[in-house]
Amino acid sequence: MRDGGAAGVSWILLVICFMLAVPASIPREETAASAPAQIQAEPEMPVVALTFDDGPRAETTGRLLDELALREVPATFFLLGHRIPGNEDLVRRMGAEGHQIGVHTYDHVEVTGLSRADFDLQVGKTRSLLLDILGEGEFWLRPPYGITDAAARQWAGSPVVLWSVDPEDWKDHDVGRIVAGVVEHVQDGDIILLHDIYSSSVDAAVQIVDALQSRGYCFVTVEELLAWNGVTPQPGQVYRSGRG
Ligand code: NI
């Protein structure tokens, strides 16, 4: 069920997930004895993608990157163009540390009903900033509010990424509620929506990673999640999860 054109990528991810998630889920002193049995018992490890919108924000994104690096967890960041100037080091760090980077418009505007020129000012201008910093990249689109129309999807020139798990982390900044909203509902293949501009969301993300890794979950980027599920991403196509 997970074969297809991206089978090679899938096997690489499987190996990486075993290496990273299994030791984290087992008490240190039992690791050597228990790890082989754990791998054999869980051939179908659930794989999900953490995504963060509305950054980068120096006060919170840097700490999130520290915590993700500690756990060797890649994520996907959909950046706002207007937040990039002054935060170039954070963007460089995301690229260097294996995270996927996408665009979330320049000013956090709905991409419906825009002229082509205005769409390019929002999406194209943000991509240009990222290209200047990173040198290369495709920078998939996540439209603010998850809303697109036919023109925006056509002009996107990349896959359009939505989500399948939304704990509404902007609502009350209640870390326990946000964590439960993800951990109690997440399924294999899900794309989880959070915002790295809130300290409470960074705290929640850390707890989500620790809770799900202890249950054998593997975290990958959105691009890797689609590949893992044998989905070949197409420009203008909307993806809500690794299931398509
Ligand atoms: Ni947003």
Side-chain angles (χ1 to χ4, degrees), residues 55-66 77 79 81 83-99 101 129-130 132-134 196:
R57 178 172 180 257
E59 296 84 347
T60 45
T61 307
R63 182 163 70 89
L64 175 62
L65 290 173
D66 292 343
F77 291 87
L79 305 183
R83 286 189 180 272
I84 292 173
N87 286 316
E88 290 86 350
D89 286 351
L90 286 173
V91 175
R92 264 183 226 107
R93 197 178 157 194
M94 288 171 186
E97 295 182 0
H99 303 293
I101 298 171
L129 283 175
L130 292 171
D132 287 346
I133 296 167
L134 297 166
D196 54 310

Side-chain angles (χ1 to χ4, degrees), residues 121-174:
L121 277 175
Q122 289 295 328
V123 176
K125 184 177 170 186
T126 305
R127 283 184 175 141
S128 294
L129 283 175
L130 292 171
L131 270 178
D132 287 346
I133 296 167
L134 297 166
E136 59 178 354
E138 197 179 346
F139 312 124
W140 296 3
L141 174 65
R142 171 169 280 163
Y145 316 105
I147 303 167
T148 61
D149 56 18
R153 290 192 293 276
Q154 184 189 340
W155 296 337
S158 77
V160 176
V161 181
L162 301 186
W163 55 84
S164 52
V165 174
D166 177 10
E168 298 187 329
D169 62 329
W170 42 268
K171 208 182 225 176
D172 54 16
H173 308 287
D174 180 334

Side-chain angles (χ1 to χ4, degrees), residues 53-54 104 108 144-145 195:
D53 287 6
D54 294 7
H104 195 51
H108 206 276
Y145 316 105
H195 298 80

